[in-house]
Amino acid sequence: MRSFPEIHEEARSLPGYDGEAFAAMVAVSPLTPKSERSELYRSLAARNTELAEGLVNEAQARLAAASDSLVIQALSASARIRLLAAEHCRNLAICFAPVAQ
C-alpha cells in the first residue's frame, strides 16, 4: 500500500492536476462517524474508478477517430488522476475498517 505522499506526488506530476479537485475526489466530511467512513471511502474509490473508466473509453474513442493528441493525453492524465484518487480512497477504507475482536 503506497502512502498518500507517494500517491499525491504522482498525481501532481500529471498534466491538468488540480489540488482542490483532487481533494474533492477523496473528501469525506469530518462529521461522518468513524464507523461509516470505511464504507464511504470504498464508495468513493468505486466512483473514481468508474469515472476513470469513462475517461479511458473517451480517450480510446478519440484515438480511433484520429482526434487531437493533446485531448487524448489530457483524458488519459485525468483518468490516471482519478485512479490515484481511487487508490487513496481504498487505502483510507482499509484504515477505517472495523477491527475484528
Coordinates of all heavy atoms in Angstrom, one line a residue:
M1 N 0.9 -1.2 0.0 CA 0.0 0.0 0.0 C 0.9 1.2 0.0 O 1.7 1.4 0.9 CB -0.9 0.0 1.2 CG -1.8 1.2 1.4 SD -3.2 1.0 2.5 CE -2.4 0.7 4.1
R2 N 0.7 2.1 -1.0 CA 1.5 3.3 -1.1 C 1.0 4.4 -0.1 O -0.2 4.4 0.1 CB 1.5 3.9 -2.5 CG 2.2 3.0 -3.5 CD 2.5 3.6 -4.8 NE 1.3 4.1 -5.5 CZ 1.3 4.9 -6.5 NH1 2.4 5.4 -7.0 NH2 0.1 5.3 -7.1
S3 N 1.8 5.2 0.3 CA 1.4 6.3 1.2 C 0.8 7.4 0.4 O 1.0 7.5 -0.8 CB 2.6 6.8 2.0 OG 3.5 7.5 1.1
F4 N 0.1 8.3 1.2 CA -0.6 9.4 0.5 C 0.5 10.3 -0.2 O 0.3 10.7 -1.3 CB -1.4 10.2 1.5 CG -2.0 11.5 0.8 CD1 -3.0 11.4 -0.1 CD2 -1.5 12.7 1.1 CE1 -3.5 12.5 -0.8 CE2 -2.0 13.9 0.5 CZ -3.0 13.8 -0.4
P5 N 1.6 10.6 0.5 CA 2.6 11.5 -0.2 C 3.1 10.9 -1.6 O 3.3 11.6 -2.5 CB 3.7 11.6 0.8 CG 3.1 11.4 2.1 CD 2.0 10.4 1.9
E6 N 3.2 9.5 -1.6 CA 3.6 8.9 -2.9 C 2.5 9.0 -3.9 O 2.8 9.3 -5.1 CB 3.9 7.4 -2.6 CG 5.1 7.1 -1.8 CD 5.3 5.7 -1.4 OE1 4.2 5.0 -1.1 OE2 6.4 5.2 -1.3
I7 N 1.3 8.8 -3.5 CA 0.2 8.9 -4.5 C 0.0 10.4 -4.9 O -0.1 10.6 -6.1 CB -1.1 8.4 -3.8 CG1 -1.1 6.9 -3.6 CG2 -2.3 8.8 -4.7 CD1 -2.2 6.4 -2.7
H8 N 0.1 11.3 -4.0 CA -0.1 12.7 -4.3 C 1.0 13.2 -5.2 O 0.8 14.0 -6.1 CB -0.2 13.5 -3.0 CG -0.7 14.9 -3.2 ND1 0.1 16.0 -2.9 CD2 -1.8 15.4 -3.8 CE1 -0.6 17.1 -3.2 NE2 -1.7 16.7 -3.8
E9 N 2.3 12.8 -5.0 CA 3.4 13.2 -5.8 C 3.2 12.8 -7.2 O 3.4 13.5 -8.2 CB 4.7 12.6 -5.3 CG 5.9 13.0 -6.0 CD 6.2 14.5 -5.9 OE1 5.9 15.1 -4.9 OE2 6.8 15.0 -6.9
E10 N 2.7 11.5 -7.4 CA 2.4 11.1 -8.8 C 1.3 11.9 -9.4 O 1.4 12.3 -10.6 CB 2.1 9.6 -8.8 CG 1.9 9.1 -10.2 CD 1.5 7.6 -10.3 OE1 1.8 6.9 -9.3 OE2 1.0 7.2 -11.4
A11 N 0.3 12.2 -8.7 CA -0.9 12.9 -9.2 C -0.4 14.3 -9.6 O -0.8 14.9 -10.7 CB -2.0 13.0 -8.2
R12 N 0.4 15.0 -8.7 CA 0.9 16.3 -9.0 C 1.8 16.4 -10.3 O 1.8 17.5 -10.9 CB 1.7 16.9 -7.8 CG 0.8 17.3 -6.7 CD 1.5 18.0 -5.6 NE 2.9 18.2 -5.7 CZ 3.8 18.1 -4.8 NH1 3.4 17.8 -3.6 NH2 5.1 18.3 -5.0
S13 N 2.4 15.3 -10.6 CA 3.3 15.3 -11.8 C 2.5 15.2 -13.1 O 3.1 15.4 -14.2 CB 4.2 14.1 -11.7 OG 3.6 12.9 -12.0
L14 N 1.2 15.0 -13.1 CA 0.4 14.8 -14.3 C -0.2 16.1 -14.8 O -0.5 17.0 -14.0 CB -0.8 13.8 -14.0 CG -0.3 12.4 -13.7 CD1 -1.5 11.6 -13.1 CD2 0.2 11.7 -14.9
P15 N -0.2 16.3 -16.1 CA -0.8 17.5 -16.6 C -2.3 17.6 -16.3 O -3.0 16.6 -16.2 CB -0.6 17.3 -18.2 CG -0.4 15.9 -18.4 CD 0.1 15.3 -17.1
G16 N -2.7 18.8 -15.9 CA -4.1 19.1 -15.6 C -4.4 18.9 -14.1 O -5.6 19.0 -13.7
Y17 N -3.4 18.5 -13.3 CA -3.7 18.3 -11.9 C -4.1 19.5 -11.2 O -3.6 20.6 -11.4 CB -2.4 17.8 -11.2 CG -2.5 17.7 -9.7 CD1 -3.2 16.7 -9.1 CD2 -2.1 18.7 -8.9 CE1 -3.4 16.6 -7.7 CE2 -2.2 18.7 -7.5 CZ -2.9 17.6 -7.0 OH -3.1 17.6 -5.6
D18 N -5.2 19.4 -10.4 CA -5.7 20.5 -9.6 C -5.9 20.0 -8.2 O -6.7 19.1 -7.9 CB -7.1 20.9 -10.2 CG -7.8 22.0 -9.5 OD1 -7.5 22.2 -8.3 OD2 -8.7 22.6 -10.0
G19 N -5.2 20.6 -7.3 CA -5.2 20.1 -5.9 C -6.5 20.1 -5.3 O -6.9 19.2 -4.5
E20 N -7.3 21.2 -5.5 CA -8.6 21.3 -4.9 C -9.6 20.2 -5.5 O -10.4 19.6 -4.8 CB -9.2 22.7 -5.1 CG -8.6 23.7 -4.3 CD -9.2 25.1 -4.5 OE1 -10.3 25.2 -5.0 OE2 -8.4 26.1 -4.2
A21 N -9.5 20.0 -6.8 CA -10.3 18.9 -7.4 C -9.9 17.6 -6.9 O -10.8 16.7 -6.6 CB -10.1 19.0 -8.9
F22 N -8.6 17.3 -6.7 CA -8.2 16.0 -6.1 C -8.7 15.9 -4.7 O -9.2 14.8 -4.4 CB -6.7 15.9 -6.1 CG -6.1 14.6 -5.8 CD1 -6.1 13.6 -6.7 CD2 -5.7 14.3 -4.5 CE1 -5.6 12.3 -6.4 CE2 -5.3 13.0 -4.1 CZ -5.2 12.0 -5.1
A23 N -8.6 16.9 -3.9 CA -9.2 16.8 -2.5 C -10.6 16.5 -2.5 O -11.1 15.7 -1.7 CB -8.9 18.2 -1.8
A24 N -11.4 17.1 -3.5 CA -12.8 16.8 -3.6 C -13.1 15.4 -4.0 O -14.1 14.8 -3.5 CB -13.5 17.8 -4.6
M25 N -12.2 14.8 -4.7 CA -12.4 13.4 -5.2 C -12.2 12.4 -4.0 O -12.7 11.3 -4.1 CB -11.3 13.0 -6.2 CG -11.5 13.7 -7.5 SD -10.1 13.2 -8.6 CE -10.0 14.6 -9.7
V26 N -11.6 12.8 -2.9 CA -11.3 11.9 -1.8 C -11.9 12.4 -0.5 O -11.7 11.8 0.6 CB -9.8 11.7 -1.6 CG1 -9.1 11.1 -2.9 CG2 -9.1 13.0 -1.2
A27 N -12.8 13.4 -0.6 CA -13.3 14.0 0.6 C -14.4 13.3 1.3 O -15.4 12.9 0.6 CB -13.7 15.5 0.3
V28 N -14.4 13.2 2.5 CA -15.5 12.7 3.4 C -15.6 13.7 4.5 O -14.6 14.1 5.1 CB -15.2 11.3 3.9 CG1 -16.2 10.9 5.0 CG2 -15.2 10.2 2.8
S29 N -16.8 14.1 4.8 CA -17.0 15.1 5.9 C -16.4 14.6 7.2 O -16.5 13.5 7.6 CB -18.5 15.3 6.1 OG -18.7 16.1 7.2
P30 N -15.7 15.5 7.9 CA -15.1 15.2 9.2 C -16.2 14.9 10.2 O -16.0 14.3 11.3 CB -14.3 16.4 9.6 CG -14.8 17.5 8.7 CD -15.4 16.9 7.5
L31 N -17.5 15.3 9.9 CA -18.6 15.0 10.8 C -19.1 13.6 10.6 O -19.9 13.1 11.4 CB -19.7 16.0 10.6 CG -19.3 17.5 10.8 CD1 -20.5 18.4 10.4 CD2 -18.9 17.7 12.2
T32 N -18.7 12.9 9.6 CA -19.1 11.5 9.4 C -18.5 10.6 10.5 O -17.4 10.7 10.8 CB -18.5 11.0 8.0 OG1 -19.0 11.8 7.0 CG2 -19.0 9.6 7.7
P33 N -19.4 9.8 11.1 CA -18.9 8.9 12.2 C -17.8 8.0 11.6 O -17.9 7.5 10.5 CB -20.2 8.1 12.6 CG -21.3 9.0 12.1 CD -20.8 9.7 10.9
K34 N -16.9 7.7 12.4 CA -15.8 6.9 12.0 C -16.2 5.5 11.6 O -15.7 4.9 10.7 CB -14.7 6.7 13.1 CG -13.9 8.0 13.3 CD -12.8 7.8 14.3 CE -12.0 9.1 14.4 NZ -10.9 8.9 15.3
S35 N -17.3 5.0 12.2 CA -17.9 3.7 11.8 C -18.4 3.7 10.4 O -18.5 2.6 9.8 CB -18.9 3.3 12.8 OG -20.0 4.2 12.8
E36 N -18.7 4.8 9.8 CA -19.2 4.9 8.5 C -18.2 5.2 7.4 O -18.5 5.1 6.2 CB -20.4 5.9 8.4 CG -21.6 5.5 9.3 CD -22.6 6.6 9.3 OE1 -22.6 7.5 8.4 OE2 -23.5 6.6 10.2
R37 N -17.0 5.6 7.8 CA -16.0 6.2 6.9 C -15.5 5.1 5.9 O -15.3 5.4 4.8 CB -14.9 6.8 7.6 CG -15.4 8.1 8.2 CD -14.2 8.9 8.9 NE -14.8 10.1 9.6 CZ -14.0 10.9 10.2 NH1 -12.7 10.8 10.2 NH2 -14.6 11.9 10.8
S38 N -15.3 3.9 6.4 CA -14.7 2.8 5.6 C -15.6 2.6 4.4 O -15.2 2.6 3.2 CB -14.6 1.5 6.4 OG -14.0 0.5 5.5
E39 N -16.9 2.5 4.6 CA -17.9 2.3 3.5 C -17.9 3.5 2.6 O -18.0 3.3 1.3 CB -19.3 2.0 4.1 CG -20.3 1.6 3.0 CD -19.9 0.4 2.1 OE1 -19.3 -0.5 2.7 OE2 -20.1 0.5 0.9
L40 N -17.9 4.7 3.1 CA -17.9 5.9 2.2 C -16.6 5.9 1.4 O -16.7 6.3 0.2 CB -18.0 7.1 3.1 CG -19.4 7.4 3.6 CD1 -19.3 8.6 4.6 CD2 -20.4 7.7 2.5
Y41 N -15.5 5.6 1.9 CA -14.3 5.6 1.2 C -14.3 4.5 0.1 O -13.8 4.7 -1.0 CB -13.0 5.4 2.0 CG -12.6 6.7 2.7 CD1 -12.6 6.8 4.1 CD2 -12.3 7.9 2.0 CE1 -12.2 8.0 4.8 CE2 -12.0 9.1 2.6 CZ -11.9 9.1 4.0 OH -11.6 10.3 4.6
R42 N -14.8 3.3 0.4 CA -15.0 2.3 -0.6 C -15.9 2.8 -1.8 O -15.6 2.5 -2.9 CB -15.5 1.0 0.0 CG -14.5 0.1 0.6 CD -15.0 -1.3 0.9 NE -16.1 -1.3 1.9 CZ -15.9 -1.4 3.2 NH1 -14.6 -1.4 3.7 NH2 -16.8 -1.4 4.0
S43 N -16.9 3.5 -1.4 CA -17.9 4.0 -2.4 C -17.2 5.1 -3.3 O -17.3 5.1 -4.5 CB -19.1 4.6 -1.7 OG -19.9 5.2 -2.6
L44 N -16.4 6.0 -2.6 CA -15.6 7.0 -3.4 C -14.6 6.3 -4.3 O -14.4 6.7 -5.5 CB -14.9 7.9 -2.5 CG -15.7 9.1 -1.9 CD1 -14.9 9.8 -0.8 CD2 -16.2 10.0 -3.0
A45 N -14.0 5.2 -3.9 CA -13.0 4.5 -4.7 C -13.7 3.9 -5.9 O -13.2 4.1 -7.0 CB -12.3 3.4 -3.9
A46 N -14.8 3.3 -5.7 CA -15.6 2.8 -6.8 C -16.0 3.8 -7.8 O -15.9 3.7 -9.0 CB -16.8 2.0 -6.3
R47 N -16.5 5.0 -7.3 CA -16.9 6.1 -8.1 C -15.8 6.6 -9.0 O -15.9 6.9 -10.2 CB -17.6 7.2 -7.3 CG -18.0 8.4 -8.0 CD -19.3 8.1 -8.8 NE -19.8 9.3 -9.5 CZ -20.2 9.4 -10.7 NH1 -20.3 8.3 -11.4 NH2 -20.6 10.5 -11.2
N48 N -14.6 6.9 -8.3 CA -13.5 7.4 -9.0 C -13.0 6.4 -10.1 O -12.6 6.8 -11.2 CB -12.3 7.7 -8.1 CG -12.6 9.0 -7.4 OD1 -12.9 10.0 -8.0 ND2 -12.4 9.1 -6.1
T49 N -13.0 5.1 -9.8 CA -12.7 4.1 -10.8 C -13.6 4.1 -12.0 O -13.2 4.0 -13.1 CB -12.6 2.7 -10.1 OG1 -11.7 2.7 -9.1 CG2 -12.3 1.6 -11.1
E50 N -14.9 4.2 -11.7 CA -15.9 4.2 -12.8 C -15.7 5.5 -13.6 O -15.8 5.4 -14.9 CB -17.3 4.3 -12.1 CG -18.5 4.4 -13.1 CD -19.8 4.5 -12.3 OE1 -20.0 3.7 -11.4 OE2 -20.5 5.4 -12.7
L51 N -15.5 6.6 -13.0 CA -15.2 7.8 -13.8 C -13.9 7.7 -14.7 O -13.9 8.2 -15.8 CB -15.2 9.0 -12.9 CG -16.5 9.4 -12.3 CD1 -16.4 10.5 -11.2 CD2 -17.5 9.9 -13.4
A52 N -12.9 7.1 -14.1 CA -11.7 6.9 -14.8 C -11.9 6.0 -16.0 O -11.4 6.3 -17.1 CB -10.6 6.3 -13.9
E53 N -12.7 4.9 -15.9 CA -13.0 4.1 -17.0 C -13.7 4.8 -18.1 O -13.4 4.6 -19.3 CB -13.9 2.9 -16.5 CG -13.1 1.9 -15.7 CD -14.0 0.8 -15.0 OE1 -15.2 0.9 -15.2 OE2 -13.4 -0.1 -14.4
G54 N -14.6 5.7 -17.7 CA -15.3 6.6 -18.7 C -14.3 7.4 -19.5 O -14.4 7.6 -20.7
L55 N -13.4 8.0 -18.8 CA -12.3 8.8 -19.4 C -11.5 8.0 -20.4 O -11.1 8.5 -21.5 CB -11.5 9.5 -18.4 CG -12.2 10.6 -17.6 CD1 -11.4 11.0 -16.3 CD2 -12.4 11.9 -18.4
V56 N -11.1 6.8 -20.0 CA -10.3 5.9 -20.8 C -11.1 5.6 -22.1 O -10.6 5.6 -23.2 CB -9.9 4.7 -20.1 CG1 -9.3 3.6 -21.0 CG2 -8.9 5.0 -19.0
N57 N -12.4 5.3 -21.9 CA -13.2 4.9 -23.1 C -13.3 6.1 -24.0 O -13.2 5.9 -25.2 CB -14.6 4.5 -22.6 CG -14.6 3.2 -21.9 OD1 -13.7 2.4 -22.1 ND2 -15.6 2.9 -21.1
E58 N -13.4 7.3 -23.5 CA -13.5 8.5 -24.3 C -12.2 8.7 -25.0 O -12.1 9.0 -26.2 CB -13.8 9.7 -23.5 CG -13.8 11.0 -24.2 CD -15.0 11.2 -25.3 OE1 -16.0 10.4 -25.1 OE2 -14.8 12.0 -26.2
A59 N -11.1 8.5 -24.4 CA -9.7 8.6 -25.0 C -9.6 7.6 -26.1 O -9.1 7.9 -27.2 CB -8.6 8.5 -23.9
Q60 N -10.0 6.4 -25.9 CA -9.9 5.3 -26.9 C -10.8 5.7 -28.1 O -10.4 5.5 -29.3 CB -10.3 4.0 -26.3 CG -9.3 3.4 -25.4 CD -9.8 2.2 -24.7 OE1 -11.0 1.9 -24.6 NE2 -8.9 1.4 -24.2
A61 N -12.0 6.2 -27.9 CA -12.9 6.6 -29.0 C -12.2 7.7 -29.8 O -12.3 7.7 -31.0 CB -14.2 7.0 -28.5
R62 N -11.6 8.7 -29.1 CA -11.0 9.8 -29.8 C -9.7 9.3 -30.6 O -9.4 9.8 -31.6 CB -10.7 10.9 -28.9 CG -11.9 11.6 -28.4 CD -11.6 12.8 -27.5 NE -12.8 13.4 -27.1 CZ -13.2 14.7 -27.5 NH1 -12.4 15.4 -28.2 NH2 -14.3 15.2 -27.0
L63 N -9.0 8.3 -30.0 CA -7.9 7.8 -30.7 C -8.3 7.1 -32.0 O -7.7 7.3 -33.0 CB -7.1 6.8 -29.7 CG -5.8 6.2 -30.3 CD1 -4.8 7.3 -30.6 CD2 -5.3 5.2 -29.3
A64 N -9.4 6.3 -31.9 CA -9.9 5.6 -33.1 C -10.3 6.6 -34.1 O -10.3 6.3 -35.3 CB -11.0 4.7 -32.6
A65 N -10.8 7.8 -33.7 CA -11.3 8.8 -34.6 C -10.1 9.7 -35.1 O -10.4 10.7 -35.7 CB -12.4 9.6 -34.0
A66 N -8.9 9.4 -34.7 CA -7.8 10.2 -35.0 C -7.9 11.7 -34.5 O -7.6 12.6 -35.3 CB -7.5 10.2 -36.5
S67 N -8.4 11.8 -33.3 CA -8.6 13.1 -32.7 C -7.3 13.8 -32.3 O -6.2 13.1 -32.4 CB -9.6 13.0 -31.5 OG -10.0 14.2 -31.0
D68 N -7.4 15.0 -31.8 CA -6.2 15.7 -31.4 C -5.5 15.0 -30.3 O -6.1 14.6 -29.3 CB -6.7 17.1 -30.9 CG -5.6 18.0 -30.5 OD1 -4.4 17.7 -30.6 OD2 -5.9 19.1 -29.9
S69 N -4.2 14.8 -30.4 CA -3.4 14.0 -29.4 C -3.4 14.7 -28.1 O -3.3 14.1 -27.0 CB -2.0 13.8 -29.9 OG -1.3 15.0 -30.1
L70 N -3.5 16.1 -28.0 CA -3.5 16.8 -26.8 C -4.7 16.4 -26.0 O -4.7 16.3 -24.7 CB -3.3 18.3 -27.0 CG -1.9 18.7 -27.5 CD1 -2.0 20.2 -27.7 CD2 -0.9 18.4 -26.5
V71 N -5.8 16.3 -26.6 CA -7.1 16.0 -26.0 C -7.0 14.6 -25.4 O -7.4 14.3 -24.3 CB -8.3 16.1 -26.9 CG1 -9.6 15.6 -26.3 CG2 -8.5 17.5 -27.4
I72 N -6.4 13.7 -26.2 CA -6.3 12.3 -25.7 C -5.3 12.2 -24.5 O -5.6 11.5 -23.6 CB -5.8 11.4 -26.9 CG1 -6.8 11.3 -28.0 CG2 -5.4 10.0 -26.4 CD1 -6.3 10.8 -29.3
Q73 N -4.3 13.0 -24.6 CA -3.3 13.0 -23.4 C -4.0 13.5 -22.2 O -3.8 13.0 -21.1 CB -2.1 13.8 -23.8 CG -1.2 13.1 -24.8 CD 0.0 14.0 -25.2 OE1 0.1 15.2 -24.8 NE2 0.8 13.5 -26.1
A74 N -4.8 14.6 -22.4 CA -5.5 15.2 -21.2 C -6.5 14.2 -20.6 O -6.6 14.1 -19.4 CB -6.2 16.5 -21.7
L75 N -7.2 13.5 -21.5 CA -8.2 12.5 -21.0 C -7.5 11.4 -20.2 O -7.9 10.9 -19.2 CB -9.0 11.9 -22.1 CG -10.0 12.8 -22.7 CD1 -10.5 12.3 -24.1 CD2 -11.2 13.1 -21.8
S76 N -6.3 10.9 -20.8 CA -5.5 9.9 -20.1 C -5.0 10.3 -18.8 O -5.0 9.6 -17.8 CB -4.4 9.5 -21.1 OG -4.9 8.9 -22.3
A77 N -4.5 11.6 -18.7 CA -4.0 12.1 -17.5 C -5.1 12.2 -16.4 O -4.9 11.9 -15.3 CB -3.3 13.4 -17.7
S78 N -6.3 12.7 -16.9 CA -7.4 12.8 -16.0 C -7.8 11.4 -15.4 O -8.2 11.3 -14.3 CB -8.6 13.5 -16.7 OG -8.3 14.8 -17.0
A79 N -7.8 10.4 -16.3 CA -8.1 9.1 -15.9 C -7.1 8.6 -14.8 O -7.5 8.0 -13.8 CB -8.2 8.1 -17.1
R80 N -5.9 8.9 -15.0 CA -4.8 8.4 -14.1 C -5.0 9.1 -12.7 O -4.9 8.5 -11.7 CB -3.4 8.7 -14.7 CG -2.3 8.2 -13.8 CD -2.3 6.7 -13.8 NE -1.4 6.3 -12.7 CZ -1.6 5.3 -11.8 NH1 -2.8 4.7 -11.9 NH2 -0.8 5.0 -10.9
I81 N -5.3 10.4 -12.8 CA -5.6 11.1 -11.5 C -6.8 10.5 -10.8 O -6.7 10.3 -9.6 CB -5.8 12.6 -11.8 CG1 -4.5 13.3 -12.3 CG2 -6.4 13.4 -10.6 CD1 -4.7 14.7 -12.9
R82 N -7.8 10.2 -11.5 CA -9.0 9.5 -10.9 C -8.6 8.2 -10.3 O -9.0 7.8 -9.2 CB -10.1 9.3 -11.9 CG -10.9 10.5 -12.2 CD -11.9 10.8 -11.1 NE -12.6 12.0 -11.4 CZ -13.5 12.5 -10.6 NH1 -13.8 11.9 -9.4 NH2 -14.1 13.6 -10.8
L83 N -7.7 7.4 -11.0 CA -7.3 6.1 -10.4 C -6.4 6.3 -9.2 O -6.5 5.5 -8.3 CB -6.6 5.3 -11.5 CG -7.4 4.8 -12.6 CD1 -6.6 4.2 -13.7 CD2 -8.5 3.8 -12.1
L84 N -5.6 7.4 -9.2 CA -4.8 7.6 -8.0 C -5.8 8.0 -6.8 O -5.5 7.6 -5.6 CB -3.8 8.7 -8.2 CG -2.7 8.3 -9.2 CD1 -1.9 9.5 -9.7 CD2 -1.8 7.3 -8.5
A85 N -6.8 8.8 -7.1 CA -7.8 9.2 -6.0 C -8.4 7.9 -5.5 O -8.6 7.7 -4.3 CB -8.8 10.2 -6.6
A86 N -8.8 7.0 -6.4 CA -9.4 5.7 -6.0 C -8.5 4.9 -5.1 O -8.9 4.3 -4.1 CB -9.8 4.9 -7.3
E87 N -7.2 4.9 -5.5 CA -6.2 4.2 -4.7 C -6.1 4.7 -3.3 O -6.1 4.0 -2.3 CB -4.8 4.2 -5.4 CG -3.7 3.5 -4.6 CD -2.4 3.6 -5.2 OE1 -2.2 4.2 -6.3 OE2 -1.4 3.1 -4.6
H88 N -6.1 6.0 -3.2 CA -6.1 6.7 -1.9 C -7.3 6.4 -1.1 O -7.2 6.1 0.1 CB -5.9 8.2 -2.0 CG -5.8 8.9 -0.7 ND1 -4.8 8.7 0.2 CD2 -6.6 9.9 -0.2 CE1 -5.0 9.5 1.3 NE2 -6.1 10.2 1.0
C89 N -8.5 6.4 -1.7 CA -9.7 6.1 -1.0 C -9.7 4.6 -0.5 O -10.2 4.4 0.6 CB -10.9 6.4 -1.9 SG -11.3 8.1 -2.2
R90 N -9.2 3.7 -1.4 CA -9.2 2.3 -0.9 C -8.3 2.2 0.3 O -8.6 1.4 1.3 CB -8.7 1.4 -2.0 CG -9.7 1.1 -3.1 CD -9.3 0.0 -4.0 NE -8.1 0.3 -4.7 CZ -8.0 1.1 -5.9 NH1 -9.1 1.5 -6.4 NH2 -6.8 1.3 -6.4
N91 N -7.1 2.9 0.3 CA -6.2 2.9 1.5 C -6.9 3.4 2.7 O -6.8 2.8 3.8 CB -5.0 3.7 1.2 CG -4.1 3.1 0.1 OD1 -4.3 1.9 -0.3 ND2 -3.1 3.9 -0.4
L92 N -7.7 4.5 2.6 CA -8.4 5.0 3.7 C -9.5 4.1 4.2 O -9.8 4.0 5.4 CB -9.0 6.4 3.4 CG -7.9 7.5 3.2 CD1 -8.5 8.8 2.7 CD2 -7.2 7.8 4.6
A93 N -10.2 3.4 3.2 CA -11.2 2.4 3.6 C -10.6 1.3 4.5 O -11.2 0.9 5.5 CB -11.8 1.8 2.4
I94 N -9.4 0.9 4.2 CA -8.7 -0.1 5.0 C -8.4 0.5 6.4 O -8.6 -0.2 7.4 CB -7.4 -0.6 4.3 CG1 -7.8 -1.3 3.0 CG2 -6.5 -1.4 5.2 CD1 -6.6 -1.6 2.1
C95 N -7.9 1.7 6.4 CA -7.6 2.4 7.7 C -8.7 2.5 8.6 O -8.6 2.4 9.8 CB -6.9 3.7 7.4 SG -5.3 3.7 6.7
F96 N -9.9 2.8 8.0 CA -11.1 3.0 8.9 C -12.0 1.7 9.0 O -13.0 1.8 9.6 CB -12.0 4.1 8.3 CG -11.4 5.5 8.6 CD1 -10.7 6.2 7.7 CD2 -11.6 6.0 9.8 CE1 -10.2 7.4 7.9 CE2 -11.1 7.3 10.1 CZ -10.4 8.0 9.2
A97 N -11.5 0.6 8.5 CA -12.3 -0.7 8.6 C -12.4 -1.1 10.0 O -11.4 -0.9 10.8 CB -11.6 -1.7 7.7
P98 N -13.5 -1.6 10.4 CA -13.7 -2.1 11.8 C -12.6 -3.2 12.1 O -12.3 -4.0 11.2 CB -15.1 -2.7 11.8 CG -15.7 -2.2 10.6 CD -14.7 -1.8 9.6
V99 N -12.1 -3.2 13.2 CA -11.2 -4.2 13.7 C -11.9 -5.3 14.3 O -12.7 -5.2 15.2 CB -10.2 -3.6 14.7 CG1 -9.2 -4.6 15.2 CG2 -9.5 -2.4 14.1
A100 N -11.6 -6.5 13.8 CA -12.2 -7.8 14.4 C -11.7 -8.0 15.8 O -10.5 -7.8 16.0 CB -11.9 -8.9 13.4
Q101 N -12.6 -8.4 16.6 CA -12.1 -8.6 18.0 C -12.2 -10.0 18.4 O -13.0 -10.8 18.0 CB -13.0 -7.7 19.0 CG -12.7 -6.3 18.7 CD -13.5 -5.4 19.7 OE1 -14.1 -5.9 20.7 NE2 -13.6 -4.1 19.4

